[in-house]
Each structure stands twice: as structure tokens, then as C-alpha cells.
């Protein structure tokens, strides 16, 4: 199964709470367990809070992409672009000014998510990306298309 959902909101703390609740509700509609939906809600709120605190953009976007049993979540500035030279470099340089903050939020998100990535680009835009298993290794319970 493939499913995609995106939401763009003003970069405000109240929007972070709304984004978390809506992301949890979106995956509940896929018949996931309440614990998977709670994990989604909590991680979107943690990631969104980080973005609100460290971004200068007026808006942020939350995108959920479900493929099989995994959901990839991107929380980003509206206009975040990863520079072409950074794509092939691997992890960002930990000597930059955001290194300690990235490590802290990565640890927080990694408690309940896999493949956590936190990036800041040259324009102080922010990207948080992580994966959450939705069905504990079971295929989506809905009808096959």
C-alpha cells in the first residue's frame, strides 16, 4: 500500500500540536494500533517543536509517506532545499553551530523512530526526517488494489 499526506501550517507552537494530532489521526485511518498513532503524534510534535524553535521560515510542512509497513515523515521549512554538493557527502559536518542541537533531537526522535535525519542548510532552513513502523511487520490490513 502507498499513502501520502501533507500539511502546511504557520510556524507557531499551536500549529505543532495540531500537526501532531492530525498526523496521528491520519495513520489511525489506516487501522494502525493506537500505540503507533501515538508514536506518530509524539514524534511529529517533537520534530515540529524543534523546527519552530530553529527555523526562520513563516511556514512549515509535515509530509507522511506510507509504503508497505513503514511511514516516512518529513518535517521541513516550506522551501528547504538540500544543496547538491551535500547530497553525496553523507552526514552533515558535526563542527557546525547546529551539531549539538541535531544530536539532541536525533536522540529524542530515535527513541520511537528509525533512520532519523536532522539537517540545517546554508539558509538556516531545517529538515527532520524519520521512519515509523506502522504495522509491526504485518502488511496493511486494508483491501488490495
Amino acid at each position: 500500500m502507498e499513502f501520502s499526506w501533507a500539511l502546511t501550517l504557520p510556524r507557531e507552537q499551536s500549529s505543532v500540536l495540531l500537526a501532531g494530532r492530525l498526523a496521528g489521526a491520519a495513520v489511525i485511518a489506516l487501522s494502525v494500533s493506537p500505540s503507533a498513532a501515538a508514536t506518530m503524534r509524539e514524534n511529529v510534535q517533537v520534530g515540529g517543536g524543534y523546527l519552530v524553535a530553529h527555523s526562520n521560515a513563516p511556514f512549515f510542512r509535515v509530509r507522511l509517506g506510507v509504503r508497505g509497513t513503514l511511514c516516512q515523515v518529513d518535517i521541513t521549512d516550506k522551501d528547504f532545499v538540500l544543496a547538491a554538493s551535500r547530497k553525496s557527502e553523507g552526514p552533515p559536518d558535526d563542527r557546525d553551530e547546529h551539531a549539538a542541537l541535531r544530536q539532541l533531537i536525533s536522540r529524542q526522535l530515535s527513541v520511537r523512530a528509525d533512520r532519523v535525519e536532522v539537517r540545517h542548510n546554508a539558509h538556516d532552513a531545517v529538515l527532520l526526517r524519520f521512519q515509523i513502523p506502522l504495522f509491526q511487520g504485518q502488511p496493511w490490513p486494508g483491501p488490495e488494489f
Side-chain angles (χ1 to χ4, degrees), residues 9-21 41-54 57-58 60:
L9 293 167
R11 188 183 55 89
E12 300 171 357
Q13 197 60 40
S14 60
S15 295
V16 170
L17 297 173
L18 177 61
R21 289 180 185 148
R41 177 180 40 81
E42 292 165 11
N43 269 22
V44 167
Q45 289 174 342
V46 168
Y50 178 87
L51 187 137
V52 165
H54 300 287
F60 72 100

Side-chain angles (χ1 to χ4, degrees), residues 54-118:
H54 300 287
S55 171
N56 295 320
F59 297 96
F60 72 100
R61 175 174 291 247
V62 177
R63 183 188 167 280
L64 309 180
V66 176
R67 188 169 234 183
T69 62
L70 290 175
C71 180
Q72 180 170 301
V73 179
D74 291 344
I75 304 170
T76 186
D77 294 278
K78 185 178 163 226
D79 297 320
F80 183 91
V81 176
L82 191 59
S85 64
R86 296 284 295 237
K87 285 182 182 177
S88 60
E89 288 180 13
D93 186 353
D94 285 337
R95 293 174 298 212
D96 71 36
E97 63 187 88
H98 300 290
L101 296 171
R102 276 198 318 273
Q103 289 175 357
L104 177 63
I105 194 70
S106 291
R107 280 193 302 271
Q108 289 175 340
L109 292 172
S110 293
V111 170
R112 297 178 298 267
D114 300 321
R115 301 184 69 161
V116 174
E117 178 181 352
V118 180

